Structures are given as structure tokens and as C-alpha cells.
Amino acid sequence: STKLVHEESFFSDWVTLENQNDLTLHFMQSLNIKNQSFIDFYSFYNSYLDKIISFNASKYSGKVEVSKNANEILAQITSIEQKINELKNKIKKESNFNDKVNMNMELKNLNDRLKSLKGKL
């Protein structure tokens, strides 16, 4: 009970300094230590975490400012993208035409849901 527990990991795409677009440039500038909260260490950590989450969401939304629940939406997007890839592989292997049609309908529903989630960012 007195130990710290690692709950979640956050990653971003690789950032190349040579080929920066506006989103990458804004992300790099937002990481400046002067732009962080110094109330306590937890708020300092959360300020960096918010920048990473907004950068990850910006690849879907095209803008740096994102909604408050962006982390949950990103998790749902990742999950749906994984389901879409699995379903596409199943469709390639399936030989029964009726099953392919049903899988394609499910694929379309997943793509529609993915599009709506990206719109929420």
C-alpha cells in the first residue's frame, strides 16, 4: 500500500526537428519549461502530460487545442483502429460471401464510429 503504482504510459510519435509542421512546432514550443505549472510536482507532471495528449490528438483533429476528455477518446480511437485492422485481416481470409458481407457492414460501422470520435476531438 505504500508503493507507487504505474498506471498508464503515454507516448507520442517521433518528432523530427528538420521537417516540422505547425502542429509539431507548436508542440515543441509548448514543452518549454516556462510554460508549465509549478504549483506542485503533480501539476508540473500533468502540464507535460496534457501537452503530449493534445499533440497525439492533433494528428486526428488537425488542431492543438483539444477537448477535456481527449485521453479517453484517444483510447477509444486506438481500440477501434485495432478492431478495424483485425476485421480487415479476417475479411481477407474469409471465403464465405455472406460472412464477408456481414464483416464489411461491421467494418463500415466501425469506420463511422471512428470518424465521429475524431470529430469530437
Side-chain angles (χ1 to χ4, degrees), residues 27-87:
F27 171 66
M28 295 302 288
Q29 290 172 348
S30 72
L31 294 179
N32 189 335
I33 199 160
K34 294 177 184 176
N35 299 331
Q36 310 312 320
S37 173
F38 289 102
I39 296 172
D40 55 20
F41 189 69
Y42 185 68
S43 60
F44 180 74
Y45 166 79
N46 279 330
S47 65
Y48 271 110
L49 187 61
D50 290 341
K51 306 295 190 290
I52 292 171
I53 290 171
S54 66
F55 179 67
N56 289 340
S58 71
K59 73 179 181 180
Y60 297 111
S61 65
K63 57 185 178 188
V64 178
E65 292 80 23
V66 293
S67 63
K68 293 179 183 177
N69 56 353
N71 193 27
E72 292 87 19
I73 294 173
L74 284 173
Q76 290 175 358
I77 286 173
T78 304
S79 173
I80 290 176
E81 286 177 339
Q82 187 177 26
K83 288 178 185 176
I84 287 173
N85 288 334
E86 291 172 2
L87 193 57

Side-chain angles (χ1 to χ4, degrees), residues 92-107:
K92 288 178 185 177
K93 295 176 183 177
E94 185 61 50
S95 60
N96 187 349
F97 184 74
N98 288 335
D99 290 339
K100 276 190 173 185
V101 170
N102 290 334
M103 287 183 200
N104 277 316
M105 289 173 54
E106 185 179 347
L107 182 63

Side-chain angles (χ1 to χ4, degrees), residues 2-45:
T2 61
K3 307 255 181 197
L4 294 176
V5 178
H6 173 73
E7 293 178 4
E8 246 180 313
S9 298
F10 294 93
F11 300 96
S12 69
D13 292 336
W14 283 103
V15 176
T16 58
L17 299 177
E18 293 82 30
N19 299 329
Q20 290 187 0
N21 58 18
D22 290 338
L23 295 174
T24 307
L25 185 62
H26 186 272
F27 171 66
M28 295 302 288
Q29 290 172 348
S30 72
L31 294 179
N32 189 335
I33 199 160
K34 294 177 184 176
N35 299 331
Q36 310 312 320
S37 173
F38 289 102
I39 296 172
D40 55 20
F41 189 69
Y42 185 68
S43 60
F44 180 74
Y45 166 79

